[in-house]
Amino acid sequence: MPRVLVLNGPNLQRLGTREPDVYGTASLDDVASALAAAAPGGVEVDVRQTDDEAELIGWLHEAADSRSPVVLNPAAFTHYSYALHDAVRVVTTAGVPVVEVHLTNPAARGAFRRESVVSPVATGVIAGFGVDGYLLALDWVGKHLTAAG
Ligand code: DQA
């Protein structure tokens, strides 16, 4: 069964209670339920979260090896992790898409959030649409899976 990895970086297990005025009131479980409900038939959606850069990089290597498309919210790693940049490059240069997602629009926030070291190697970026961003990313990935047969 084709599988989409939805990978979430640090502090995103706190969704729903972490700065709800900024990130909204939906929890990561709510995000996972919405994605499961929206997944195209026959597509498994595997939602994971870690605060550990090494674990996130290992999951990206797994995605490259298993050819599983990725929806990635790198959270704060977005702004400084060159190791994550390199790992995303491993996936996308293998021809496997990585859609970078942010709940907020980091470009409209504080100075350090304006740079993403992930975007230059991601397939595309969706930012500023809250939980809908994950659903938009899954919609695109679903079409890619269909197109890839
Ligand atoms: C975020 C934006 C990042 O700047 C921040 O560090 C996060 C969440 C977002 O989804 O809007 O943790 O990736």
Side-chain angles (χ1 to χ4, degrees):
M1 180 189 283
R3 185 178 51 147
V4 179
L5 290 178
V6 180
L7 306 181
N8 294 278
N11 302 303
L12 290 172
Q13 77 278 52
R14 312 287 297 185
L15 274 185
T17 55
R18 171 192 177 205
E19 298 180 80
D21 48 321
V22 175
Y23 295 111
T25 53
S27 67
L28 196 56
D29 280 348
D30 294 334
V31 174
S33 300
L35 288 167
V43 174
E44 181 195 349
V45 180
D46 186 349
V47 180
R48 305 180 191 177
Q49 187 278 330
T50 184
D51 293 336
D52 182 345
E53 189 179 26
E55 186 167 39
L56 190 54
I57 288 166
W59 290 342
L60 287 161
H61 295 169
E62 178 190 333
D65 293 342
S66 62
R67 306 199 61 77
S68 302
V70 177
V71 175
L72 172 65
N73 186 342
F77 290 149
T78 306
H79 311 298
Y80 67 91
S81 175
Y82 298 118
L84 194 64
H85 167 109
D86 285 348
V88 170
R89 187 192 279 278
V90 166
V91 184
T92 51
T93 58
V96 177
V98 177
V99 183
E100 179 184 348
V101 168
H102 300 281
L103 294 148
T104 63
N105 176 4
R109 298 181 63 195
F112 81 84
R113 295 186 203 276
R114 287 187 199 131
E115 185 185 3
S116 168
V117 300
V118 172
S119 298
V121 288
T123 309
V125 184
I126 298 171
F129 301 114
V131 173
D132 284 350
Y134 287 85
L135 296 167
L136 290 165
L138 181 64
D139 184 53
W140 183 85
V141 165
K143 286 177 188 147
H144 175 92
L145 282 170
T146 308

